[in-house]
Amino acid sequence: MSTIDDVIAEGRPDPQPRRGGDHLSPDVMIYCDRLVRIFKVSGVEVQALQGLDLSVGKGELTALVGASGSGKSTLLNILAGLDQPTGGRAQVGGHDLLVMGAKERLAYWRSTVGFLWQQTGRNLLSHLTAAENVALPMHLAGVRRKQRNRRTNEILELMGVADCRDKMIPQMSGGQQQRVAVGVAIANDPEVLLADEPTGELDDETAVEVFAALQAANAETGATILIVTHDAAVSDHVRRTIAIRDGRISSEVLRSTEVDDEGAESHVAVQYAALDRVGRLQLPADYVEALGLRERVRLGLEPDHVTVWPGQSGQQADDAQGGNE
């Protein structure tokens, strides 16, 4: 078993840069390389991220799904510039999150990344109207009044809450508040929008409205949007769903629309397992349970694929070996 020091060492950058490691494609907006985060809780070291690798392209609308304790909130805090990893690399929009100084971090929060939190109190100021909340980030960024007003009206219209322009936050429904919050998050045209459980406190019908607002924001501004959630149903609203388990990316689902020769459309979803640089992958939990996979599996190499079969448990192998003696 790896020690804590081993895990940290695996997460540190190589002394010599790897090919393509320091010069990312301009199409990559979020990049994590062997990201490690270790916390100490009551004197016990807990590995929240265990060498996580992640790449999200410019303009993608992506969901990161994981159970409580999977590491998704830790990852979000690192990408938001609110926490630093123990080892590895993390870059967002060209910013190296491990070495940012206070001035660069403030500029990062103001212009590069937008935030949408689950709790309304973290997104909106209750003593301001919807329009005033949306205009506030632009005011702090020094945008002129006339441009602020025009942009505010455009955003409220895009979010479908133009009729709430002069309403105070407590006068609006939960769904309206979250759509205004999306507007606040995109007010300064950030390159990246991070959404933390944006529908966690909403019913299903209202959640659909909020996801529609996020889709509209993605289409209108071209911002890269990463939605962090425990709700697997979010998959219906994004093209790419990334699953995180035990501090590592475990699998992805990519969705596309195909048109047949007769013009009929069909939605296709393909599931992939994430493969790290040393060949490790995590089989989806439902696959493991369906086949009763335990302890070890039997592999087979075919010309164009690898097979995975249930293997003997340790006791079964010992019994089989004893029967051959």
Side-chain angles (χ1 to χ4, degrees):
M1 180 180 295
S2 298
T3 65
I4 296 295
D5 289 339
D6 293 334
V7 174
I8 296 174
E10 287 181 2
R12 289 187 180 124
D14 292 336
Q16 298 297 323
R18 294 183 305 279
R19 183 177 300 175
D22 290 333
H23 302 285
L24 299 180
S25 165
D27 293 329
V28 175
M29 185 59 62
I30 299 174
Y31 176 74
C32 299
D33 180 27
R34 293 181 293 178
L35 207 57
V36 173
R37 184 64 172 102
I38 299 174
F39 296 98
K40 277 193 176 183
V41 181
S42 300
V44 178
E45 291 180 318
V46 178
Q47 301 176 27
L49 299 178
Q50 304 184 46
L52 178 142
D53 295 324
L54 175 66
S55 179
V56 179
K58 183 180 294 186
E60 283 191 25
L61 175 60
T62 303
L64 182 71
V65 180
S68 177
S70 61
K72 64 182 188 300
S73 295
T74 300
L75 175 61
L76 184 73
N77 284 333
I78 290 173
L79 297 179
L82 302 174
D83 188 20
Q84 284 196 327
T86 309
R89 300 176 60 199
Q91 292 182 236
V92 176
H95 294 270
D96 188 334
L97 303 184
L98 277 73
V99 299
M100 279 199 304
K103 187 175 181 180
E104 183 183 358
R105 193 175 300 274
L106 181 59
Y108 176 74
W109 289 333
R110 283 188 174 177
S111 60
T112 300
V113 64
F115 308 98
L116 180 63
W117 307 113
Q118 178 178 348
Q119 299 84 5
T120 302
R122 296 188 68 182
N123 297 316
L124 304 171
L125 297 177
S126 60
H127 62 281
L128 299 180
T129 65
E132 288 169 341
N133 268 280
V134 173
L136 182 58
M138 292 183 277
H139 177 71
L140 295 175
V143 178
R144 293 181 179 276
R145 182 190 296 272
K146 186 176 181 180
Q147 185 178 349
R148 288 202 312 266
N149 291 339
R150 182 177 66 252
R151 174 69 174 156
T152 296
N153 290 335
E154 291 173 351
I155 288 175
L156 292 175
E157 185 71 31
L158 178 66
M159 295 295 101
V161 287
D163 57 332
C164 297
R165 188 184 193 286
D166 298 318
K167 287 184 178 181
M168 307 296 286
I169 301 306
Q171 297 175 319
M172 296 183 284
S173 68
Q176 289 171 330
Q177 290 178 13
Q178 278 298 70
R179 282 183 281 163
V180 172
V182 176
V184 173
I186 65 172
N188 284 334
D189 290 320
E191 296 178 276
V192 176
L193 172 58
L194 303 174
D196 180 23
E197 303 282 5
T199 60
E201 298 180 347
L202 305 175
D203 58 53
D204 292 343
E205 183 177 350
T206 307
V208 171
E209 296 175 0
V210 174
F211 278 121
L214 288 167
Q215 289 171 325
N218 175 250
E220 179 70 19
T221 68
T224 301
I225 300 180
L226 181 63
I227 304 170
V228 177
T229 180
H230 69 277
D231 183 6
V234 70
S235 302
D236 296 334
H237 304 277
V238 299
R239 189 189 71 84
R240 181 185 181 198
T241 302
I242 302 172
I244 182 172
R245 191 171 78 216
D246 297 330
R248 289 194 181 101
I249 301 302
S250 60
S251 62
E252 294 190 24
V253 175
L254 299 182
R255 291 169 184 79
S256 61
T257 301
E258 296 184 354
V259 181
D260 61 22
D261 295 337
E262 298 180 354
E265 290 188 354
S266 61
H267 299 286
V268 179
V270 180
Q271 185 168 21
Y272 297 87
L275 186 69
D276 71 14
R277 57 177 52 80
V278 298
R280 291 175 296 196
L281 59 81
Q282 294 188 43
L283 297 177
D286 53 341
Y287 287 27
V288 173
E289 293 176 5
L291 296 178
L293 303 179
R294 298 290 184 273
E295 297 185 20
R296 68 185 93 189
V297 295
R298 182 163 52 89
L299 303 179
L301 179 61
E302 302 296 333
D304 60 351
H305 66 279
V306 175
T307 59
V308 180
W309 300 83
Q312 294 176 314
S313 68
Q315 184 60 49
Q316 289 173 327
D318 292 340
D319 292 345
Q321 180 65 28
N324 292 331
E325 291 178 352

